[in-house]
Amino acid sequence: MLALAACEYNPQLLMEEGAERLDANATRAHVSGNTEFWEAGTLYYHPDGTLKSIWRKVKSDGTWTVDENGRVCLVTRSWEQCHYYLSYEGEVLTVSDGLIRGAYKIEAGNKLPR
């Protein structure tokens, strides 16, 4: 078994070690109505598909969707980004731009600073 550090940022290696990609339903359950804390900002996924974010200190509104493969796509006026999640040894890891970004903290409800 490879340690997460040994897989570096390669999602395919981690999947070969037993990580599973979250499907569309699991992804929706993971983000809907929750706030996710990334290195560059914070995102609130409203259950109605709208998104509120503070990204690099800039507040934005937008939308979020989940496709049939469990990929989350975020759209604001100034940026678009898609990512998906892997479940591995009890953690949910974010994969963005083809790289594992880590297990970001997620909390129930809107936790964006006012």
Side-chain angles (χ1 to χ4, degrees), residues 87-100:
S87 175
Y88 183 70
E89 294 186 348
E91 288 194 283
V92 176
L93 306 170
T94 303
V95 179
S96 175
D97 299 323
L99 301 173
I100 298 170

Side-chain angles (χ1 to χ4, degrees), residues 62-113:
T63 61
W64 66 274
T65 58
V66 177
D67 71 14
E68 65 277 356
N69 296 315
R71 191 172 69 140
V72 180
C73 291
L74 315 172
V75 178
T76 72
R77 197 170 358 149
S78 57
W79 53 270
E80 293 183 30
Q81 190 271 348
C82 295
H83 62 277
Y84 65 93
Y85 299 100
L86 295 176
S87 175
Y88 183 70
E89 294 186 348
E91 288 194 283
V92 176
L93 306 170
T94 303
V95 179
S96 175
D97 299 323
L99 301 173
I100 298 170
R101 302 297 181 177
Y104 294 130
K105 181 173 124 179
I106 193 156
E107 292 184 5
N110 183 348
K111 305 296 182 190
L112 289 176

Side-chain angles (χ1 to χ4, degrees), residues 10-108:
N10 186 329
Q12 187 58 43
L13 281 178
L14 201 59
M15 290 180 76
E16 289 170 10
E17 290 300 314
E20 294 184 8
R21 187 170 173 158
L22 269 59
D23 67 16
N25 289 332
T27 297
R28 265 188 224 89
H30 181 66
V31 299
S32 184
N34 296 323
T35 301
E36 189 170 37
F37 300 86
W38 291 53
E39 291 118 0
T42 307
L43 309 166
Y44 173 63
Y45 300 88
H46 195 284
D48 70 2
T50 58
L51 173 76
K52 294 200 176 291
S53 69
I54 301 175
W55 199 258
R56 294 189 171 100
K57 300 181 182 178
V58 175
K59 290 183 180 183
S60 297
D61 292 328
T63 61
W64 66 274
T65 58
V66 177
D67 71 14
E68 65 277 356
N69 296 315
R71 191 172 69 140
V72 180
C73 291
L74 315 172
V75 178
T76 72
R77 197 170 358 149
S78 57
W79 53 270
E80 293 183 30
Q81 190 271 348
C82 295
H83 62 277
Y84 65 93
Y85 299 100
L86 295 176
S87 175
Y88 183 70
E89 294 186 348
E91 288 194 283
V92 176
L93 306 170
T94 303
V95 179
S96 175
D97 299 323
L99 301 173
I100 298 170
R101 302 297 181 177
Y104 294 130
K105 181 173 124 179
I106 193 156
E107 292 184 5

